[in-house]
Protein backbone atom coordinates (compact mmCIF):
# COMPACT_ATOMS: atom_id res chain seq x y z
CA UNK A 1 0.00 0.00 0.00
CA UNK A 2 1.12 3.53 -0.71
CA UNK A 3 2.25 5.86 2.01
CA UNK A 4 0.03 8.75 2.89
CA UNK A 5 1.63 12.06 1.97
CA UNK A 6 1.41 14.97 4.35
CA UNK A 7 -0.29 17.98 2.79
CA UNK A 8 2.03 20.76 1.69
CA UNK A 9 1.59 23.77 3.97
CA UNK A 10 4.69 25.82 3.19
CA UNK A 11 6.47 27.26 0.18
CA UNK A 12 10.20 27.97 0.32
CA UNK A 13 12.26 29.66 -2.39
CA UNK A 14 16.02 30.08 -2.01
CA UNK A 15 17.66 32.88 -3.94
CA UNK A 16 20.94 34.75 -4.07
CA UNK A 17 20.36 38.34 -3.04
CA UNK A 18 22.63 41.32 -3.58
CA UNK A 19 22.74 43.06 -0.21
CA UNK A 20 23.98 46.62 0.12
CA UNK A 21 24.41 48.74 3.21
CA UNK A 22 25.19 52.46 2.78
CA UNK A 23 28.94 52.99 2.76
CA UNK A 24 29.70 49.30 2.25
CA UNK A 25 30.22 47.05 -0.75
CA UNK A 26 27.29 45.10 -2.16
CA UNK A 27 27.67 41.43 -1.28
CA UNK A 28 25.81 38.33 -2.45
CA UNK A 29 24.02 36.48 0.34
CA UNK A 30 21.91 33.39 0.46
CA UNK A 31 18.30 34.38 1.11
CA UNK A 32 15.14 32.40 1.58
CA UNK A 33 11.51 33.40 1.08
CA UNK A 34 9.09 31.32 3.12
CA UNK A 35 5.30 31.24 3.14
CA UNK A 36 3.43 29.17 5.72
CA UNK A 37 -0.34 28.59 5.70
CA UNK A 38 -0.28 28.88 9.49
CA UNK A 39 0.45 32.61 9.03
CA UNK A 40 -1.42 33.22 5.77
CA UNK A 41 -0.91 36.98 5.51
CA UNK A 42 2.87 36.91 6.04
CA UNK A 43 6.06 36.19 4.15
CA UNK A 44 9.37 35.53 5.85
CA UNK A 45 12.62 36.62 4.26
CA UNK A 46 15.73 35.27 5.94
CA UNK A 47 19.43 35.74 5.31
CA UNK A 48 22.17 33.51 6.58
CA UNK A 49 25.84 32.80 6.30
CA UNK A 50 28.04 30.18 7.89
CA UNK A 51 29.24 32.77 10.40
CA UNK A 52 25.97 34.29 11.62
CA UNK A 53 22.57 33.12 12.76
CA UNK A 54 19.76 33.68 10.26
CA UNK A 55 18.27 37.16 10.23
CA UNK A 56 14.52 37.00 9.56
CA UNK A 57 12.18 39.76 8.39
CA UNK A 58 8.41 39.20 8.37
CA UNK A 59 6.11 41.31 6.22
CA UNK A 60 2.85 41.10 4.29
CA UNK A 61 2.59 38.83 1.27
CA UNK A 62 0.42 41.52 -0.32
CA UNK A 63 3.28 44.01 0.05
CA UNK A 64 5.55 41.70 -1.92
CA UNK A 65 2.90 41.16 -4.60
CA UNK A 66 2.14 44.87 -5.02
CA UNK A 67 5.86 45.62 -5.02
CA UNK A 68 6.21 43.56 -8.19
CA UNK A 69 4.21 46.28 -10.00
CA UNK A 70 4.76 49.56 -8.16
CA UNK A 71 6.78 50.97 -5.24
CA UNK A 72 5.00 50.19 -1.95
CA UNK A 73 5.65 50.17 1.76
CA UNK A 74 5.95 52.47 4.70
CA UNK A 75 8.21 52.09 7.68
CA UNK A 76 10.61 49.20 7.93
CA UNK A 77 9.91 47.39 4.62
CA UNK A 78 9.76 49.02 1.18
CA UNK A 79 9.41 47.03 -2.05
CA UNK A 80 10.00 48.29 -5.60
CA UNK A 81 9.50 46.57 -8.96
CA UNK A 82 12.26 46.05 -11.49
CA UNK A 83 13.64 49.36 -12.77
CA UNK A 84 14.56 50.08 -16.37
CA UNK A 85 18.26 49.89 -15.49
CA UNK A 86 17.84 46.67 -13.46
CA UNK A 87 15.06 44.92 -15.37
CA UNK A 88 15.52 41.51 -13.79
CA UNK A 89 15.68 42.51 -10.14
CA UNK A 90 13.24 43.91 -7.62
CA UNK A 91 14.42 45.92 -4.67
CA UNK A 92 13.49 45.45 -1.03
CA UNK A 93 14.68 48.00 1.51
CA UNK A 94 14.77 46.81 5.12
CA UNK A 95 15.08 49.46 7.84
CA UNK A 96 15.76 48.73 11.48
CA UNK A 97 13.37 50.13 14.04
CA UNK A 98 16.18 51.58 16.11
CA UNK A 99 17.37 53.82 13.25
CA UNK A 100 20.52 51.75 12.99
CA UNK A 101 20.38 51.96 9.23
CA UNK A 102 18.93 50.21 6.24
CA UNK A 103 19.85 47.45 3.83
CA UNK A 104 19.02 47.40 0.13
CA UNK A 105 18.24 43.92 -1.12
CA UNK A 106 18.02 43.08 -4.81
CA UNK A 107 16.42 39.76 -5.69
CA UNK A 108 15.56 38.18 -9.05
CA UNK A 109 12.00 39.24 -9.94
CA UNK A 110 11.27 35.95 -11.70
CA UNK A 111 12.14 34.03 -8.50
CA UNK A 112 9.85 36.25 -6.41
CA UNK A 113 7.06 35.83 -8.96
CA UNK A 114 7.41 32.05 -8.87
CA UNK A 115 7.45 32.06 -5.06
CA UNK A 116 4.24 34.11 -4.98
CA UNK A 117 2.57 31.90 -7.61
CA UNK A 118 3.32 28.81 -5.54
CA UNK A 119 2.07 30.49 -2.35
CA UNK A 120 -1.21 31.28 -4.13
CA UNK A 121 -1.71 27.59 -4.87
CA UNK A 122 -1.83 27.07 -1.09
CA UNK A 123 -3.86 30.14 -0.18
CA UNK A 124 -5.35 32.21 -3.01
CA UNK A 125 -5.26 36.00 -2.67
CA UNK A 126 -8.24 37.15 -0.64
CA UNK A 127 -8.72 33.76 1.05
CA UNK A 128 -6.21 34.32 3.86
CA UNK A 129 -8.89 34.86 6.51
CA UNK A 130 -10.19 31.33 5.90
CA UNK A 131 -6.84 29.96 7.13
CA UNK A 132 -6.44 31.99 10.30
CA UNK A 133 -6.64 29.96 13.50
CA UNK A 134 -8.35 32.56 15.68
CA UNK A 135 -8.16 30.42 18.83
CA UNK A 136 -4.40 29.96 18.43
CA UNK A 137 -3.89 33.67 17.75
CA UNK A 138 -5.90 34.66 20.83
CA UNK A 139 -4.02 32.17 22.98
CA UNK A 140 -0.71 33.62 21.75
CA UNK A 141 -1.90 37.14 22.59
CA UNK A 142 -3.00 36.06 26.04
CA UNK A 143 0.37 34.43 26.69
CA UNK A 144 2.10 37.74 25.87
CA UNK A 145 -0.03 39.56 28.44
CA UNK A 146 1.04 37.30 31.33
Amino acid sequence: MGEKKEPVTTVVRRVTAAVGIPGELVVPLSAEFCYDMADPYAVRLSFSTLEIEPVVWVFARLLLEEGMHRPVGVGSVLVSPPHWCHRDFMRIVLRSRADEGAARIEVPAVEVGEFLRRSYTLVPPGAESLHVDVDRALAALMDRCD
Side-chain angles (χ1 to χ4, degrees), residues 23-42:
E24 301 287 332
L25 292 173
V26 175
V27 295
L29 278 182
S30 176
E32 183 177 277
F33 286 96
C34 182
Y35 178 78
D36 188 335
M37 289 177 68
D39 193 359
Y41 290 100

Side-chain angles (χ1 to χ4, degrees), residues 23 29 35 58-60 67 69 73 85 90 98-99 117 122 126 143:
L29 278 182
Y35 178 78
V58 180
F59 53 95
H69 309 288
C85 64
M90 18 186 340
D99 267 349
R117 186 191 67 71
L122 293 180
D143 285 345

Side-chain angles (χ1 to χ4, degrees), residues 77-112:
V77 180
L78 310 170
V79 183
S80 298
H83 189 268
W84 65 271
C85 64
H86 291 99
R87 297 175 203 269
D88 298 330
F89 296 90
M90 18 186 340
R91 179 176 288 173
I92 301 172
V93 175
L94 304 173
R95 297 180 187 160
S96 70
R97 290 185 197 170
D99 267 349
E100 295 172 2
R104 185 184 72 235
I105 317 299
E106 292 185 351
V107 292
V110 69
E111 297 285 343
V112 174

Side-chain angles (χ1 to χ4, degrees), residues 7-136:
V8 175
T9 61
T10 60
V11 173
V12 175
R13 188 75 174 201
R14 289 180 180 83
V15 299
T16 298
V19 179
I21 299 171
E24 301 287 332
L25 292 173
V26 175
V27 295
L29 278 182
S30 176
E32 183 177 277
F33 286 96
C34 182
Y35 178 78
D36 188 335
M37 289 177 68
D39 193 359
Y41 290 100
V43 167
R44 285 171 171 63
L45 174 58
S46 62
F47 302 92
S48 61
T49 68
L50 295 175
E51 294 83 31
I52 62 169
E53 292 291 316
V55 176
V56 181
W57 287 77
V58 180
F59 53 95
R61 178 173 72 161
L62 182 59
L63 183 72
L64 191 59
E65 168 63 33
E66 288 183 8
M68 301 239 1
H69 309 288
R70 64 181 180 88
V72 293
V74 175
S76 57
V77 180
L78 310 170
V79 183
S80 298
H83 189 268
W84 65 271
C85 64
H86 291 99
R87 297 175 203 269
D88 298 330
F89 296 90
M90 18 186 340
R91 179 176 288 173
I92 301 172
V93 175
L94 304 173
R95 297 180 187 160
S96 70
R97 290 185 197 170
D99 267 349
E100 295 172 2
R104 185 184 72 235
I105 317 299
E106 292 185 351
V107 292
V110 69
E111 297 285 343
V112 174
E114 179 60 19
F115 167 75
L116 286 169
R117 186 191 67 71
R118 289 182 53 216
S119 78
Y120 293 147
T121 63
L122 293 180
V123 178
E128 293 89 352
S129 64
L130 301 174
H131 298 274
V132 175
D133 184 345
V134 175
D135 292 333
R136 184 178 60 90

